[in-house]
Structure formats: structure tokens, C-alpha cells
Amino acid sequence: MTYSETRPWAKAIKEAVLSKRMPPWFADPHYGEFSNDLSLNAHEIRTLTAWVDGGSHEGKASGAPKASVALADGWRIPKPDVVFQLPEEIHVPASGVVNYMFVAVPTGFTEDRWVEMAEVRPTNRSVVHHAIVYVLDDSGFLDVGQYLAGYAPGAAPQQWQPGQARLIKAGSKLIFQLHYTTNGKPAADRTQLGLIFAKQPAKERVVAMAVTNHWFTLPAGAPDVQVDARLTIGEPMSLLGLRPHMHLRGKSFEFRAVFPDGTAQVLLRVPRYDFHWQTYYSLKAPLALPRGTRIECTAHFDNSPNNPNDPDPKVNVAWGEQSWDEMMVGWIDVAVPAKSSRPNAPVGISFPARRDGNTSARSFGPGLTSR
Ligand code: HEM
């Protein structure tokens, strides 16, 4: 925030921006335009490195710009209209593996509510690997379409464009999915969800979908395993954003759209995926997906000793919840007309389907046990 804080980091800053390790942004710049793009352009990189090479002088303090961010230990969205919290603290032991937990919190909503911002906020970040809040309506069944908001390091709160909002039906329950990791000291957390209601009637309803493949094995030692998934859009909608998700063996991820006329477009290419950054890529302009558009995802995994993040390259790895298991999910946020009566369940057909014939998206529910 200040010159004296920054000066000692000059050489590290130069190294971090030249190697593109910082700011954290992983999209291949040749594909897609994103409203939350953090990357620096060549001119900005030159400015920074020239400052370092020129001796990192302070310049005229009187001409310095005002700080553009306020670092507050509070909500990153404006003050929420309503805050829900885990009914009691969850105690995390000092060591060992903690399975995912699912905690239901009633909304008490007696009418349908539209939400334009949502933030999940742990009270003790040191043990929260991630926390996701789903909305369970009276259909009684949970799938990725009910994803409302999540917390993970590097992830931003959900904030939709004016006129777009998430629908929370009267009587819904919130399902907090919590993944705690132990860190040597006993700890307690009581994660919160803050919501801001839409101030005007929503024109479009935002829904999450997942393009996913659960049926893969990464053989021990294999340096480059390709896994594909695809989903066909069952009704017209517009694409708002993309979030690739793999675990520690994830190497690269690509989203493509194949339109009904056969033309194809790369939506996002992440050539060097990093599990530690669960980045969401928000499209600069929504992309119309006509009915019948196919969203295709291609992931590559490295389960070899050359992957420094690999927890154990000597084992075969399959789908599972813990970070040493793997996942392959291309999350997408889409908007449909607000009046659409569609349920939250996915409207597309995923490939490969689950062995039981349901779409693969469903297995995110609380029935899922750790493997
Ligand atoms: C121009 C912008 C940025 C510059 C120059 C910068 C520079 C740096 C530097 C020099 C380090 C230390 C690396 C080391 O230990 O040697 C670092 C680490 C880090 N930065 Fe940034 N950063 C930028 C933007 C960001 C942003 C936008 C975020 C978060 C969204 C971020 C999050 C982090 C984190 C979490 C670390 C520690 C983790 C790690 O070492 O990988 N940085 N950054």
C-alpha cells in the first residue's frame, strides 16, 4: 500500500511480473475477453520493470495517487441485506482428515427472493479449504444448478450484472458444503453467507451448470492424460462465465463451444492450470448459446514425478473429494429468461452420463460420501 512497504520487494516484483506468475491470471490471451482479467499488458510490465531497473525511487510523494482499495476485514460485497450462519461452530481437530460436511440452514423465506450478490465468508480461514452454499428447494434434490456461492482462496464473491439474479424460492434451505483441512492446531469455524437482494425485478435468471466427467483413471506415473466432457444445451441461454476445476494433478483445461451450425469457438484456454487459484473467468460480454450448442471441455493431467504438486505419483487416481483425489469439472454460469419455469436441474445432456443414467452433475449432492 505504501512506498516503504513496496520498496524491499522490488526485485521480487520484477521477477514475478516478467515470469507472469503475478498477477495471478491463467487464461491464454488469444482466446476470450474477460471482465475480471488481472493480467498486465506489455506497457504496464515495462513501467514496473523500468522502475526496478532505475533504482526503485519513490518519486514525488505529493503526486502519488490515493489508494484505490480499502483493506477491511469485512465483507467484500456491500453490507449484506441478510446474513446466514452455521447454527453452531464446527470444531476442526488438530490433525487427520475431515470428510466434507453438509449443514442445512433454513432461509425462512415466505416468498421467492432474487439475489444479485452473494458472498461466503469463513470466520476462520486457516482451516477452511473451501465452503460452498447450495440452495435446496422443495424438489428436495441437490445438483450443481443450485450452487449459489462459494469460498476458496483466490475466489471472488458472486456479483451479477444489473437485471440478472439468482432465484431462491420460498421455503428453500441453504446447504453449506464445508471442507475443512487440519493444520496442527484445533480450530473452530462458523462460516457465513451474506446476500444482497435485487433492487429491481430480474430480467434474467442465473444458473450454474457443470460439464464433467467422473469416469477416468490417471495411471501412476502418467505424465499426460487427456479427459474430455461435453454437455449439450437444451434451451437457448447466454453464457456468463467459466470456472475450470481439477485438483493437484490438473495441468491444462480448455472450454469450447460447438454451435448448431457446426462452427466452433475456443471459450477459454488455461495452458498451465494451478489448483491453488480457483479462478473464475467472467466473460466481458455474454455469449448467446442457441439450443443444441455443445460445450466441450478437455483437461490434461500429470500424475508423474515431474509434477511438483502431485501428492503421490505412484498411485492410480480417480474421482474423489479430497485434494489427493481428482476432479474434472467445467463449471459454467448461464442466464435464462427470468420467467423460464425450468427447475434448477441441468437442462443439458452431459457426456459421459453417470453409470446409473442420470446426468453426472447430480453426484455433487449431500448423499455423496468420501472415497
Ligand atoms: C501487479 C500486481 C502484482 C504484483 C506485482 C505481485 C507481486 C507479488 C510478489 C513479488 C509475490 C511474492 C513472490 C515471492 O514470494 O517471491 C507475490 C505473491 C503472492 N501474490 Fe501477488 N502480485 C500482484 C497481484 C496479485 C493479486 C491480484 C493477487 C490476488 C488476487 C496476488 C496474490 C498473491 C499471493 C496469494 C501470493 C503468495 C503466494 C505465492 O507465492 O504464490 N497477487 N505477489
Side-chain angles (χ1 to χ4, degrees):
M1 297 294 281
T2 65
Y3 175 73
S4 56
E5 273 172 5
T6 310
R7 173 66 187 84
W9 289 95
K11 286 226 165 66
I13 289 172
K14 177 179 168 183
E15 191 278 324
V17 300
L18 280 179
S19 65
K20 306 262 167 90
R21 196 154 57 86
M22 284 286 152
W25 185 256
F26 308 92
D28 180 333
H30 296 98
Y31 304 97
E33 283 193 284
F34 304 97
S35 59
N36 61 333
D37 187 342
L38 292 171
S39 61
L40 301 177
N41 63 36
H43 174 73
E44 292 164 326
I45 294 175
R46 267 200 309 277
T47 303
L48 269 173
T49 54
W51 171 71
V52 178
D53 293 340
S56 323
H57 298 300
E58 181 170 15
K60 252 211 211 109
S62 59
K66 278 217 181 74
S68 59
V69 288
L71 297 178
D73 184 25
W75 295 96
R76 293 162 74 190
I77 55 174
K79 189 171 180 300
D81 293 321
V82 58
V83 175
F84 295 98
Q85 189 162 29
L86 292 177
E88 52 196 33
E89 282 195 324
I90 292 188
H91 293 273
V92 181
S95 61
V97 176
V98 184
N99 285 337
Y100 280 26
M101 290 178 198
F102 293 87
V103 180
V105 178
T107 56
F109 292 167
T110 51
E111 52 186 60
D112 292 357
R113 301 304 303 255
W114 291 86
V115 166
E116 63 181 21
M117 289 186 212
E119 180 177 353
V120 176
R121 189 179 160 204
T123 60
N124 186 348
R125 286 169 205 270
S126 74
V127 286
V128 179
H129 173 279
H130 75 254
I132 294 178
V133 178
Y134 295 90
V135 178
L136 186 63
D137 59 23
D138 49 17
S139 72
F141 125 112
L142 201 65
D143 69 46
V144 290
Q146 280 129 303
Y147 174 100
L148 177 65
Y151 162 82
Q158 298 279 2
Q159 307 187 48
W160 294 288
Q161 296 302 312
Q164 293 175 344
R166 286 296 307 259
L167 173 61
I168 302 185
K169 289 194 179 149
S172 293
K173 285 194 196 97
L174 301 168
I175 306 292
F176 285 66
Q177 181 206 66
L178 302 145
H179 182 190
Y180 291 107
T181 41
T182 56
N183 67 7
K185 277 185 283 187
D189 168 71
R190 207 177 156 198
T191 289
Q192 301 175 316
L193 170 76
L195 298 181
I196 294 184
F197 296 123
K199 300 295 174 291
Q200 70 240 33
K203 290 196 193 74
E204 287 185 302
R205 174 166 160 209
V206 180
V207 215
M209 297 167 83
V211 188
T212 172
N213 179 344
H214 292 202
W215 311 114
F216 60 86
T217 304
L218 311 178
D224 190 29
V225 184
Q226 180 172 331
V227 179
D228 290 286
R230 59 179 196 247
L231 179 146
T232 302
I233 301 294
E235 62 181 271
M237 53 184 72
S238 52
L239 180 67
L240 306 178
L242 310 143
R243 182 188 285 110
H245 182 66
M246 300 177 281
H247 289 175
L248 292 156
R249 292 159 175 98
K251 187 172 166 182
S252 67
F253 204 96
E254 181 178 293
F255 283 85
R256 294 175 302 275
V258 181
F259 296 103
D261 67 2
T263 56
Q265 179 180 341
V266 174
L267 302 169
L268 169 70
R269 183 173 288 172
V270 175
R272 275 177 304 157
Y273 174 83
D274 183 342
F275 172 67
H276 299 105
W277 294 99
Q278 291 298 316
T279 310
Y280 177 71
Y281 298 88
S282 178
L283 298 195
K284 208 168 224 175
L287 178 70
L289 304 178
R291 178 195 164 91
T293 303
R294 200 163 70 233
I295 304 291
E296 298 182 342
C297 293
T298 300
H300 286 87
F301 294 89
D302 182 352
N303 191 21
S304 80
N306 289 335
N307 174 0
N309 292 320
D310 195 325
D312 188 357
K314 290 196 275 311
V315 295
N316 296 339
V317 181
W319 179 280
E321 287 173 343
Q322 296 289 350
S323 302
W324 54 84
D325 305 316
E326 265 307 332
M327 287 197 183
M328 190 285 182
V329 189
W331 294 85
I332 58 176
D333 269 356
V334 297
V336 296
K339 290 196 187 73
S340 160
S341 59
R342 67 185 293 277
N344 273 317
V347 284
I349 300 164
S350 273
F351 170 86
R354 281 185 66 181
R355 280 172 196 158
D356 63 9
N358 288 324
T359 62
S360 49
R362 293 188 181 182
S363 54
F364 278 83
L368 189 67
T369 49
S370 292
R371 277 172 268 173

